[in-house]
Amino acid sequence: MSDQPSRNRIISDQEAEHITRLEELAYEVKVQEAMTSDPKALDASQTMKEALDMFRSLRISGAPVLQRGEIVGVLSIEDVIRSLMVPDLDSKVTEYMTSKVITIRDEELVVEALKIFVNKPIGRLPVIDENGNLVGMLTKGDITRAFLKALQRDTQEEEMRRYRASHLFEDIESDRTSLILRYNIKAGDFTHGGAASSNIKRALMRLGASPQIARRCGIAIYEAEINLIIHTTNGGVIRVEIEPHQISIDAYDYGPGIPDVEQAMKPGYSTASEAVREMGFGAGMGLVNISRCTDSMTLESTVGKGTRLRMKIFLAQQETVGEGYPAN
Amino acid sequence: MRVKDLLEIVSGKLLNPSADLNREIKGGCGADLMSDVLASIQPEAVLLTGLCNPQVIRTAQMADVAAVVLVRGKAPQEETINLAEKEGIPLILSPYGMFELCGRLHKAGLPSLEMPVNGDDCSCSE
């Protein structure tokens, strides 16, 4: 964010638009998820020499100092360097440690730790539980690692979903296995128009459909969905039946029905209103587009009863969905 | 061409800042009729359009469009921006008109990704 809003102000929607996934994570990840647990601590009775040996052997750059189990300070590599310059390695760690200790609760969000790191010249925070016991240490490096892991998890989740769905049919035995998706489409609801097609396209991709197949289905169903929104009296239903080798799509409604189906199929013929045309639809190309994207298409309609548009897309041997073939 | 190069050429403003600026754009398509877009556009094109309702983004999503440029500085509805954000499609606002933009992008080496419509599909050829 270029214009950092001041800390006491409530962030406006305009600014919120610029919040990145990383910034969101600061409000999602808890300190206990990011911290290094089982922290190595020094005892107040130990010397700087012992501290130096511990830092070296464990490859750490700081540690909390405990006295009878309570945190009394934090010793960092900078403190060790100061004692080396004297040199004064035989002194107790309590001589060189920072004794004004800032701690953070394990339950807090990482954003609270970030605020401390930004405002105070410290590089590590001892993490305490509800009883004040030391349960971990948190550095900026720990936070970076936790964020990277969370970002990776985000992408893995979608991959996992895809993997699971793409093998959906594999272990199910029947004479004919299929998955049926149904969507109710409201008449006149342009704002949500396309939501069903969007969900179907995503489902097909997860099931392992190739991008070409998903695209053809997406476009055909989208045109059918828009038709239901534009032309029906009470909306309609989109029903998609997914089988490994074919996708059958039915878009049906209960009125008003099409008086002349043959005419409706002609490219450029449309009964859409001016308002619909202004939105970029109703050019009489919908059905033409659908027939271009599908392997078969039939349109049946009875005035006063309703219309049913049936579409089919066939999948080649290596393109089947839900049987574990990877999308190419 | 990448989305960031496109932004520069069209003097555009990215309306959904979380979109991927490194996404590859393979060509272009300009249309105001969404059915024309669905009928003719090939995958991974930039779509130039004067329409700015949410259906533009839905169309883009169905047709695997890599980025959408709204021409003549027409600010879209909130829903359009929200949908673009949700679907991860870069939505760009340009002050230039359609002709100017097509020219600029073509000059910058971007080919047309509008498929020619074959005779059977077009009533005009009857």
Side-chain angles (χ1 to χ4, degrees), chain A residues 26-289:
Chain A
Y27 292 86
E28 282 174 21
V29 178
K30 282 187 177 174
V31 167
Q32 58 194 0
E33 296 168 61
M35 71 183 189
T36 305
S37 42
D38 189 20
K40 298 291 171 286
L42 287 158
D43 190 85
S45 65
Q46 287 183 285
T47 63
M48 292 303 283
K49 172 80 173 63
E50 287 171 306
L52 176 61
D53 289 342
M54 181 178 123
F55 285 6
R56 246 201 203 144
S57 62
L58 297 175
R59 297 172 151 259
I60 55 176
S61 55
V65 180
L66 302 181
Q67 193 162 34
R68 286 183 294 277
E70 261 186 46
I71 307 168
V72 292
V74 173
L75 192 79
S76 73
I77 199 91
E78 285 85 35
D79 300 324
V80 176
I81 291 169
R82 274 198 297 128
S83 75
L84 271 172
M85 283 168 70
V86 178
D88 185 20
L89 282 173
D90 295 327
S91 283
K92 293 270 185 287
V93 289
T94 45
E95 301 273 309
Y96 283 91
M97 70 184 188
T98 307
S99 49
K100 264 194 175 167
V101 189
I102 302 169
T103 59
I104 189 160
R105 271 296 312 278
D106 51 359
E107 296 268 285
E108 290 280 9
L109 293 169
V110 159
V111 67
E112 297 304 324
L114 287 173
K115 283 182 197 163
I116 298 172
F117 285 137
V118 167
N119 292 316
K120 300 272 194 287
I122 56 172
R124 69 199 67 248
L125 279 169
V127 183
I128 55 169
D129 64 13
E130 53 193 348
N131 302 317
N133 295 322
L134 178 73
V135 289
M137 285 297 280
L138 185 73
T139 63
K140 291 177 208 167
D142 290 329
I143 296 177
T144 310
R145 253 190 306 281
F147 282 7
L148 286 174
K149 244 167 119 180
L151 287 173
Q152 196 190 10
R153 195 174 54 216
D154 283 356
T155 53
Q156 268 175 349
E157 253 169 44
E158 177 60 23
E159 273 171 33
M160 193 55 142
R161 281 190 182 144
R162 272 185 192 222
Y163 179 81
R164 279 203 307 252
S166 70
H167 290 70
L168 188 64
F169 296 142
E170 232 174 14
D171 299 324
I172 298 168
E173 280 189 36
S174 84
D175 289 332
R176 194 173 160 188
T177 305
S178 69
L179 174 70
I180 295 177
L181 314 176
R182 283 188 193 80
Y183 300 85
N184 296 322
I185 311 301
K186 280 191 199 143
D189 186 6
F190 279 99
T191 315
H192 297 105
S197 348
S198 169
N199 285 325
I200 296 165
K201 188 178 179 188
R202 196 168 297 130
L204 286 171
M205 305 265 272
R206 283 187 181 154
L207 284 163
S210 70
Q212 293 82 354
I213 293 289
R215 188 171 193 263
R216 283 168 61 197
C217 286
I219 292 176
I221 298 170
Y222 182 49
E223 290 280 15
E225 190 177 353
I226 292 292
N227 277 347
L228 290 177
I229 294 170
I230 297 176
H231 298 293
T232 57
T233 25
N234 292 309
V237 175
I238 291 180
R239 177 187 182 277
V240 185
E241 181 168 5
I242 302 163
E243 291 169 86
H245 294 277
Q246 65 174 22
I247 300 163
S248 316
I249 308 144
D250 277 18
Y252 57 90
D253 61 70
Y254 302 102
I258 303 168
D260 188 341
V261 170
E262 207 178 312
Q263 196 178 25
M265 300 280 282
K266 276 194 182 150
Y269 178 81
S270 176
T271 56
S273 68
E274 198 51 44
V276 166
R277 287 171 199 257
E278 268 172 26
M279 278 187 280
F281 292 95
M285 295 304 287
L287 291 171
V288 182
N289 260 350

Side-chain angles (χ1 to χ4, degrees), chain B residues 28-85:
Chain B
C29 170
D32 287 343
L33 272 179
M34 290 302 110
S35 284
D36 272 355
V37 176
L38 291 169
S40 74
I41 199 168
Q42 291 170 270
E44 294 175 82
V46 53
L47 170 64
L48 310 176
T49 184
L51 276 182
C52 46
N53 58 46
Q55 298 311 322
V56 171
I57 304 301
R58 283 294 180 215
T59 303
Q61 190 198 358
M62 291 309 133
D64 300 326
V65 164
V68 175
V69 175
L70 303 177
V71 310
R72 299 192 59 78
K74 267 190 245 174
Q77 300 156 244
E78 193 83 358
E79 286 94 349
T80 310
I81 301 176
N82 292 344
L83 195 58
E85 177 73 15

